[in-house]
Amino acid sequence: MKSAPHLLPEDRADFERLLDDVLRAARDHPALAGIGRRLTAGQLRALALDASAVISTAAATEYAHFVRAREEHRRRPGVSASAPDPGAPADGVMPGAGLGVVVTVLAPVLAGSAAVVLLLLGYVLKMLDPPPDVAAPLLSAGWFFAAVAVAGLFAAIVGILVTALRNRANEVTAARAAGGGPLDETARAREAWHRALLERGILPFLRDVLAEPPPLPEAARAPVPARRDPAATGPCTPRPAGPEPTGPGPVPD
């Protein structure tokens, strides 16, 4: 894969994504209606990647503005180039994940399993004649665990809702603390770069490639080889192509 040399590594994927989006929606662009007749989408993609340096130059001004806006945002206090998204948990640990969450999740599962086993065993023993004395305690324990499972399920649902609301509040707070102005400016600069790259770089390149006349076949460009007369003793002279004599008769000089 070849990429524009002046594009930063983190922005090269944007170039390829825009190119793939255009090729995927080629039917929406009348100028790209020739895709598939002369060149396939894969061939056009390879040509565009080879010429990515020239294509991206068409939006060099917008790209420079986008890079400046992004660097200014990253130089703000509390913002680093590798900082995670606002609201994302540090080190991949979900906020609030602890012993309480584990118990809340496992309690309904374990209690429900115990309730099914105890109730099933208790009712099977109760069908015996006479039923053993242990059938009634098994049924009582089964219904107790069933109640525990229902209560645990309700607590798990409440805990999930509370965690979601708390994470949402943390996201809003982090976004307000970071400030929305520079981030919005970066997003606008990126959209402007994408639009310029698409309208002045990728689409014109694909139109030009599809508009070029097809190359002549190799056979049409090859010269006619010189033919040597067997009766001649001089150098070879080209003779017009024609049918060879097949019957007896004088050989033309």
Side-chain angles (χ1 to χ4, degrees), residues 135-160:
L138 288 177
L139 290 177
S140 301
W143 285 114
F144 170 77
F145 281 110
V148 172
V150 173
L153 183 61
F154 178 77
I157 295 175
V158 173
I160 292 174

Side-chain angles (χ1 to χ4, degrees), residues 158-194:
V158 173
I160 292 174
L161 293 177
V162 171
T163 303
L165 293 176
R166 184 174 56 191
N167 290 343
R168 179 60 179 171
N170 291 340
E171 291 177 3
V172 173
T173 303
R176 289 177 179 175
L183 186 59
D184 292 342
E185 177 63 24
T186 304
R188 287 195 296 268
R190 185 183 184 189
E191 290 299 325
W193 170 53
H194 286 180

Side-chain angles (χ1 to χ4, degrees), residues 22 29 31-32 197-208:
V22 171
H29 301 279
L32 305 181
L197 183 62
L198 182 64
E199 296 175 356
R200 302 202 304 264
I202 295 177
L203 284 176
F205 174 81
L206 296 178
R207 283 197 300 263
D208 293 343

Side-chain angles (χ1 to χ4, degrees), residues 10 65-86 174-189:
E10 58 188 307
H65 176 65
F66 163 59
V67 172
R68 281 197 307 270
R70 183 172 56 190
E71 291 301 323
E72 291 176 1
H73 171 67
R74 289 175 176 176
R75 283 196 297 265
R76 287 175 57 87
V79 179
S80 62
S82 58
D85 294 335
R176 289 177 179 175
L183 186 59
D184 292 342
E185 177 63 24
T186 304
R188 287 195 296 268

